[in-house]
Amino acid sequence: QKEVEQNSGPLSVPEGAIASLNCTYSDRGSQSFFWYRQYSGKSPELIMFIYSNGDKEDGRFTAQLNKASQYVSLLIRDSQPSDSATYLCAVRPGGGADGLTFGKGTHLIIQP
Amino acid sequence: GAVVSQHPSRVICKSGTSVKIECRSLDFQATTMFWYRQFPKKSLMLMATSNEGSKATYEQGVEKDKFLINHASLTLSTLTVTSAHPEDSSFYICSARVPGRGGEKLFFGSGTQLSVL
């Protein structure tokens, strides 16, 4: 069973601080890693994707990937109340699989 | 970004009836679409992979005769929940792969909240 693990939270962060979201995966052959944001009752929205080890920055968001540790994270700088949502980590497994495997998500709360 | 349109957004039906959900790619051709379901406070679970012009590939535990998938064109995939029961009540979301720089990405439709009475 290929798994993606996330702490369900809630993770509470003061406005303006850095929110750090973490994810581990079991399939060492995984190739692609994604972070989605999902507001309550809405469908997921792609925030970031990363394929190579290291950091990838896009605006206030930074994705970090460490394939040796099978670990991927998302940092949100200057957190805003509008960032409050559930963040889903998704992994495309190796072996030619098409669909993504999702973690259960981390509920992030940005406190004004 | 790419647009995936899903309809209807919400449906309430009686037990035993069938419900069809449509998923369209509006500005790109999607040879492959994916159908997920999500229960409250749970993660997305892949139900099936829909391939244009061929049979869908279902995940283990998903009844293909209950969840009929048709991918008749490069821009449309449909999911029909046949003889719906209350336990089928869930949030159903379609998605499509969009090729681009850095590899393919997955974009989601707006989802369909199905409530079976």
Side-chain angles (χ1 to χ4, degrees):
Chain A
Q1 184 79 13
K2 297 174 180 176
E3 297 179 345
V4 177
E5 299 287 341
Q6 292 181 259
N7 188 324
S8 61
L11 173 65
S12 186
V13 174
E15 183 176 358
I18 297 175
S20 178
L21 304 163
N22 304 314
C23 171
T24 58
Y25 59 95
S26 63
D27 181 8
R28 188 170 288 278
S30 297
Q31 299 295 317
S32 314
F33 308 86
F34 305 81
W35 282 100
Y36 286 85
R37 177 176 63 197
Q38 186 176 27
Y39 293 111
S40 181
K42 304 295 184 181
S43 64
E45 171 190 12
L46 181 63
I47 298 295
M48 291 281 293
F49 62 93
I50 188 167
Y51 302 99
S52 304
N53 276 328
D55 295 0
K56 179 181 179 182
E57 186 175 321
D58 184 0
R60 295 188 296 114
F61 300 96
T62 299
Q64 299 175 317
L65 175 62
N66 184 326
K67 288 187 177 181
S69 300
Q70 296 176 236
Y71 176 92
V72 58
S73 65
L74 178 70
L75 301 178
I76 306 174
R77 290 181 299 281
D78 188 23
S79 298
Q80 304 296 312
S82 58
D83 294 328
S84 298
T86 296
Y87 288 80
L88 301 168
C89 172
V91 174
R92 176 168 289 131
D98 275 338
L100 300 182
T101 300
F102 283 83
K104 292 183 178 180
T106 297
H107 184 203
L108 175 66
I109 299 173
I110 306 300
Q111 295 180 324
Chain B
V3 178
V4 179
S5 174
Q6 187 173 342
H7 178 82
S9 59
R10 182 178 295 273
V11 60
I12 300 173
C13 69
K14 292 182 179 180
S15 184
T17 61
S18 294
V19 175
K20 179 184 283 188
I21 303 170
E22 293 188 348
C23 181
R24 295 180 184 272
S25 56
L26 296 185
D27 53 1
F28 64 99
Q29 292 183 331
T31 55
T32 303
M33 291 186 176
F34 304 91
W35 288 95
Y36 289 85
R37 66 187 297 183
Q38 186 178 34
F39 292 105
K41 299 188 185 299
K42 300 293 183 183
S43 186
L44 284 80
M45 297 299 295
L46 179 64
M47 299 177 65
T49 302
S50 171
N51 301 296
E52 187 270 335
S54 65
K55 291 183 178 180
T57 303
Y58 289 82
E59 295 298 301
Q60 190 174 8
V62 179
E63 299 176 61
K64 62 180 181 180
D65 294 330
K66 180 166 185 63
F67 298 100
L68 301 179
I69 291 173
N70 185 288
H71 195 152
S73 76
L74 288 171
T75 60
L76 174 64
S77 176
T78 61
L79 168 68
T80 302
V81 182
T82 62
S83 186
H85 287 95
E87 58 263 31
D88 298 324
S89 299
S90 185
F91 191 50
Y92 292 86
I93 315 173
C94 72
S95 64
R97 285 192 309 198
V98 180
R101 286 185 298 174
E104 295 179 332
K105 295 179 284 293
L106 202 64
F107 287 90
F108 287 88
S110 55
T112 299
Q113 183 65 53
L114 171 64
S115 299
V116 184
L117 305 178

